[in-house]
Amino acid sequence: MERCFKEYSEFVLSLPKEKGWATEFLYEYKGIWFQPKFGLQGLLWMQDHFKPKPTDIFLMTFPKCGTTWLKALLYTIVKRTQFHFSTHPLLTHNPHDLVPFLEIDLFGHPPFGDPDMMPSPRILASHFPYSLLPKPILDSPCKMVYICRDPKDTFVSLLHFYNKMRLKTDGRAPIPVEEAVDMFCRGITPRGSYWDFVLGYWRASLECPENLLFLKYEAMKEDALSQVKKLAEFLGYPFTKEEEEEEEEEENGVIQEIVKLCSFENLSNLQVNKTGSTVHNFVENKLYFRKGEIGDSKNHLTPDMMELIDKVTEEKLSGTGFTFHV
Ligand code: PAP
């Protein structure tokens, strides 16, 4: 198995490359840019070896669009009868430790995790572009949730995170914001063009609404309660009549408890998320919780930079019928 994985690593290093964000280089595969380790190598391995189960639940995201939040919500909704809120696993585990990334945590590097050991329904996450999803996943009746976010806020969140990772990986200086805006607008970002990534999932959600639920970070922030209800229904774990009634009668009904448990305010203040680390102990949990706000990009980008990203958004979305607005 290890020798076989080495072949994927060698293949990746033979691909066209560009200056990277967290890693020194990004590599281009089928028109999309990837980090080699914990990215493309795992994706290639998965395309050849991963076997989905019909009950699987997949969370698909472009990095920094709400993955941590949705991992927490999916886990809590689906397993709500198994745990009490006062002793819930999220109080002592980072969401990334409860819902693994396929190409990072399970298949990022040998020794691989064993998804067959996970209880059903398995909740798995990935930053796979839709166009590169393994065929067995596309052919399976599993449920898939996607969440997108405003491009400027996504960019700012990405830049903060990757600059921290650059420093940690090999002490490299931060990418200047002007240069990063240029790379982002040209689609030279880990997982490629943000807009192409979003449109891939949005189009698929129109074709298969029963299998793919498309959410927006901003809509979740505005009205988490109704989005959580929608999510539970889509996943096949709708709130019961009793749960809905409890919600109307009590201040702390089950839906509100779920929203509170998974909120930025709650998760970011837990000890495990202030001090622990994930991804083979490399990424500090606190890096997944920065501000969690809508519109923070205006505090970090000049009007010209905002305009540039808006212009690309307009061009990319023109004629698609899709908008980031809620
Ligand atoms: P990932 O794709 O690398 O796992 P992801 O969780 O998508 O990262 O992105 C982190 C962003 O989500 C951060 O945004 P910011 O940089 O603009 O602050 C983080 O603060 C935000 N975030 C994390 N948890 C939550 C939450 N529970 N509610 C809302 N936003 C959250």
Side-chain angles (χ1 to χ4, degrees):
M1 183 98 69
E2 302 224 355
R3 212 187 61 212
C4 164
F5 191 75
K6 199 163 156 258
E7 284 161 18
Y8 290 115
S9 321
E10 285 164 3
F11 168 71
V12 170
L13 297 181
S14 74
L15 295 170
K17 63 184 181 186
E18 270 273 2
K19 186 177 162 178
W21 291 60
T23 51
E24 191 178 3
F25 296 110
L26 291 178
Y27 293 85
E28 190 185 22
Y29 178 69
K30 300 200 173 174
I32 299 170
W33 294 93
F34 289 92
Q35 298 190 160
K37 224 175 151 189
F38 304 121
L40 186 50
Q41 290 168 14
L43 181 148
L44 294 171
W45 194 92
M46 260 196 67
Q47 278 186 332
D48 291 344
H49 297 92
F50 177 69
K51 289 188 188 65
K53 291 183 181 175
T55 51
D56 284 345
I57 294 170
F58 293 99
L59 170 65
M60 301 298 185
T61 55
F62 191 89
K64 305 299 149 199
C65 290
T67 323
T68 313
W69 192 11
L70 260 292
K71 279 188 176 188
L73 284 170
L74 291 178
Y75 187 89
T76 313
I77 292 169
V78 170
K79 297 182 187 287
R80 66 181 182 276
T81 55
Q82 292 176 34
F83 305 113
H84 196 270
F85 286 107
S86 63
T87 52
H88 198 279
L90 270 174
L91 298 174
T92 46
H93 296 75
N94 178 269
H96 293 283
D97 289 330
L98 300 174
V99 177
F101 280 117
L102 288 161
E103 75 277 27
I104 302 173
D105 303 304
L106 293 174
F107 307 125
H109 205 271
F112 296 136
D114 184 359
D116 287 340
M117 296 297 286
M118 292 174 71
S120 288
R122 302 185 301 187
I123 311 175
L124 300 159
S126 173
H127 291 316
F128 264 36
Y130 189 80
S131 62
L132 294 183
L133 282 180
K135 196 167 175 319
I137 294 185
L138 292 176
D139 290 344
S140 93
C142 62
K143 298 280 185 188
M144 202 174 273
V145 176
Y146 182 82
I147 184 162
C148 77
R149 188 179 186 186
D150 170 80
K152 298 190 288 295
D153 287 350
T154 302
F155 166 79
V156 164
S157 188
L158 273 177
L159 187 60
H160 274 95
F161 181 81
Y162 285 131
N163 274 339
K164 293 247 165 61
M165 296 317 292
R166 278 167 83 85
L167 188 69
K168 175 151 185 170
T169 311
D170 46 18
R172 276 175 304 134
I175 313 178
V177 62
E178 304 76 14
E179 192 182 334
V181 168
D182 175 62
M183 288 160 83
F184 184 71
C185 288
R186 290 189 294 131
I188 304 172
T189 319
R191 269 57 173 193
S193 159
Y194 176 57
W195 299 271
D196 293 351
F197 196 101
V198 174
L199 287 172
Y201 280 96
W202 181 71
R203 289 188 179 116
S205 75
L206 296 184
E207 277 170 29
C208 307
E210 65 287 354
N211 292 107
L212 208 171
L213 178 68
F214 190 100
L215 300 172
K216 294 180 178 172
Y217 182 92
E218 292 73 19
M220 296 281 309
K221 287 290 283 189
E222 270 182 22
D223 187 0
L225 226 61
S226 70
Q227 298 290 308
V228 163
K229 279 191 205 171
K230 183 160 121 184
L231 199 49
E233 224 153 272
F234 168 77
L235 294 170
Y237 293 82
F239 293 102
T240 59
K241 238 190 166 131
E242 292 74 39
E243 285 174 321
E244 297 260 5
E245 276 166 17
E246 182 190 332
E247 194 63 32
E248 279 161 26
E249 286 161 20
E250 294 179 31
E251 214 170 86
N252 287 328
V254 70
I255 313 176
Q256 282 195 50
E257 287 285 0
I258 291 173
V259 169
K260 251 203 292 181
L261 176 68
C262 301
S263 69
F264 180 89
E265 292 66 30
N266 183 55
L267 293 182
S268 61
N269 281 307
L270 295 171
Q271 199 56 28
V272 62
N273 294 324
K274 285 180 172 174
T275 56
S277 51
T278 60
V279 187
H280 309 277
N281 276 332
F282 191 71
V283 184
E284 290 169 278
N285 290 344
K286 64 180 179 202
L287 294 187
Y288 293 106
F289 304 94
R290 195 180 61 90
K291 281 193 178 169
E293 288 172 3
I294 297 175
D296 180 50
S297 48
K298 67 179 177 308
N299 301 316
H300 301 273
L301 302 177
T302 64
D304 283 354
M305 292 171 185
M306 308 260 287
E307 207 177 297
L308 200 62
I309 298 179
D310 283 342
K311 199 166 149 255
V312 179
T313 302
E314 205 184 302
E315 284 167 10
K316 285 279 192 181
L317 301 192
S318 162
T320 66
F322 175 72
T323 166
F324 283 97
H325 299 301
V326 174

